[in-house]
Amino acid sequence: MNQNWRHIPCLAHTLNLIAQSGLGEIKRVHKKVKNIVEYFKRSTKAKLKNAQKQMGYPELKLIQDVCTRWNSTYDMFQRCIDNKEPLMSTIAIIGNMDNLVHEDFELIKHYCAIFKPFKEVTIELSSEKGISISKVLILIKALHLHIKNKEKEPNLPNAIHLMLSKMVIKANAKFENIENQPVLTEATILDPRFKKKAFNNQYTYQKTYEKIVQKVATIIRLNQSPVENEENKKTIPTDRGNETFEIWQQFDSQVSTSTSVNTPTSEAIVELDRYLNEPILDRKLDPLKWWNDRKKIYPNLFDLMLLRLCVPSTSVPSERAFSKAGYTISERRNRLSTKNTEMLIFLNSNY
């Protein structure tokens, strides 16, 4: 493996670790709900459907929690809330298992209120069709603030309070140095929807600004021809004609040494500043289209943007590709060539 490659951890997996860190504080309710769902999955689907019909509820199946499936605990709890009356009624009729009581549902409701934003962020960052890497700083800060605000709410059940405390500790450990990730910070600035607005820390923004200037200057140097490089080293001569007044010599000397063709660094600063001074793009619009329309205005920033905004923030797209490959190559299609398999997966992913 190339030692120079930067590793960006899967953000969806990290969020799942934070979510799992506090789940032990409500393990009694968690286990009870899992047992109920498992029981209904095995044998009494029809009875629950009948109760849903009689009470005018939509026929929603219960969802089982799977530890390796992100947000499945939230989905399981939320589905129980959505089916509260039919579920409790059916369990009471069956009579051979623990029913959920009011206190259990209170814990479940608190849990769902806490973890709804986690699911939304996971979905947002796991998208295959749009840019996700530039959203990371903003969404992680929003989640961090969400957890802290929930922790300050009055009259929280003790189990929920302990769960939030553990989540805050885990989140601090996981995201303590997130603004030191240059790929994340550079991608954020290079997204016309966010730019400097995503930064709370001016020092971090300034450091990222300087790194972008250095990288854009390098791109400019690489794109310049040898002739242009020689021209950049020349100074613009002063034409004094037949002037013989010595009093102007010092001034003319200063002008001739300071007036030169722009350096790659100065060009990079001008291009970056011009980009940053443009109005912020609406969050719902496509930043790639914006860049495509302006690639001739910011040609060097455009090259750097291509290297940054293409980075996925989670491993979900690659895992989906592996899953699709598994469905494509089956026992009946085990002689597909590599080329045909690649084309089939490409078509499946993009059309």
Side-chain angles (χ1 to χ4, degrees), residues 128-129 321 324 328 333 339-351:
E128 294 182 59
K129 304 299 182 183
K324 288 170 184 174
T328 303
R333 307 179 78 188
K339 183 179 179 181
N340 287 343
T341 302
E342 186 178 333
M343 288 192 292
L344 285 169
I345 294 171
F346 177 84
L347 290 171
N348 187 279
S349 299
N350 293 281
Y351 296 97

Side-chain angles (χ1 to χ4, degrees), residues 52-90:
Q52 288 170 337
K53 285 181 181 179
Q54 290 172 5
M55 296 182 178
Y57 279 73
E59 294 183 19
L60 300 173
K61 294 180 180 179
L62 297 181
I63 298 172
Q64 183 58 284
D65 172 27
V66 181
C67 61
T68 56
R69 187 177 298 161
W70 301 324
N71 301 308
S72 60
T73 305
Y74 168 82
D75 292 333
M76 179 179 72
F77 283 163
Q78 187 60 52
R79 186 56 57 88
C80 285
I81 292 173
D82 295 339
N83 281 285
K84 180 180 177 181
E85 299 301 330
L87 185 60
M88 292 180 70
S89 173
T90 307

